[in-house]
Amino acid sequence: MAVIKEITPEQITQLCIGQYAGVDEVGRGPLVGNVVTAAVILDPNNPITGLNDSKKLSEKKRELLFVEIQQKALSISIGSASPVEIDELNILHATMLAMQRAVAGLTIKPSSVLVDGNRTPDFGVQSHAIIKGDGLIDAISAASIIAKVVRDREMEVLAAQHPEYGFEKHKGYPTKVHFEALAKHGVLAEHRKSFRPVREAMS
């Protein structure tokens, strides 16, 4: 594994060869729900315009790109780790496990894996961690969008089951509204019990 902090256009060209997969995660910071990862192998002959870090895109734009990525990508796979796994392993190791699951689920074995961030797990093939890669490399941007939309939809399902928590608004992140709901309504099975605000609400 190599960690790349400052990447040049030449390095991007060198890394983006063969059927490489881009990988990103969404949901390390929330107090509830799964951490979700995606792995995407794009088709160089069927480009997608407008790809970027999912956090820099509007919800409408993400949804449109989500559909286009599914139509044009060579392979897409989702991985996740549950709140129970997060509590058992810690959030970092659970995220690495979810990334491994995403890559293992691809229908094409990637020639290499490019991950947003500063570390990668062992994928069984060459991998590179690229700081801010989700805004620099299209396959990572695509993975970022897929993971974000999937996790947001999971939060909307949870919001319908527990409307008093407002998950559709804050997506499980530690906001004032979420803290107030925890204090008033208590902890759900889907909450991450190892996260301090949840532990404090339990006690």
Side-chain angles (χ1 to χ4, degrees), residues 43-200:
D43 183 351
N45 299 315
N46 205 356
I48 300 167
T49 58
L51 291 170
N52 201 347
D53 171 5
S54 64
K55 297 184 289 296
K56 296 179 179 175
L57 300 170
S58 67
E59 184 178 356
K60 182 179 178 182
K61 183 65 173 171
R62 280 197 302 268
E63 290 284 347
L64 290 169
L65 284 167
F66 181 81
V67 173
E68 189 175 359
I69 294 162
Q70 290 181 309
Q71 291 169 341
K72 292 183 174 180
L74 295 175
S75 187
I76 298 170
S77 175
I78 305 296
S80 65
S82 69
V84 170
E85 289 173 317
I86 291 166
D87 290 338
E88 286 177 354
L89 299 172
N90 78 39
I91 185 62
L92 173 62
H93 289 102
T95 302
M96 296 296 108
L97 176 62
M99 286 183 176
Q100 288 173 319
R101 287 171 173 167
V103 171
L106 289 166
T107 54
I108 298 167
K109 183 171 181 179
S111 52
S112 63
V113 181
L114 308 180
V115 178
D116 177 58
N118 61 6
R119 67 178 68 203
T120 79
D122 180 7
F123 295 114
V125 297
Q126 185 180 46
S127 63
H128 300 274
I130 300 164
I131 307 293
K132 298 185 179 176
D134 51 1
L136 297 169
I137 292 174
D138 281 354
I140 302 179
S141 301
S144 161
I145 291 162
I146 295 289
K148 171 71 174 160
V149 173
V150 167
R151 191 179 191 282
D152 282 358
R153 289 178 179 179
E154 289 181 0
M155 285 295 100
E156 284 158 14
V157 170
L158 196 61
Q161 295 167 347
H162 304 281
E164 65 276 16
Y165 287 83
F167 292 130
E168 73 285 356
K169 297 191 187 79
H170 54 71
K171 304 297 188 285
Y173 282 88
T175 64
K176 183 170 180 281
V177 169
H178 196 174
F179 290 145
E180 288 171 351
L182 269 173
K184 185 174 182 181
H185 304 292
V187 172
L188 298 171
E190 294 85 357
H191 273 104
R192 302 171 181 180
K193 314 298 190 296
S194 58
F195 281 38
R196 191 176 70 182
V198 180
R199 280 203 318 269
E200 289 174 352

Side-chain angles (χ1 to χ4, degrees), residues 23-41:
V23 173
D24 202 2
E25 57 74 26
V26 172
R28 282 178 65 165
L31 307 178
V32 69
N34 298 333
V35 60
V36 175
T37 61
V40 177
I41 299 176

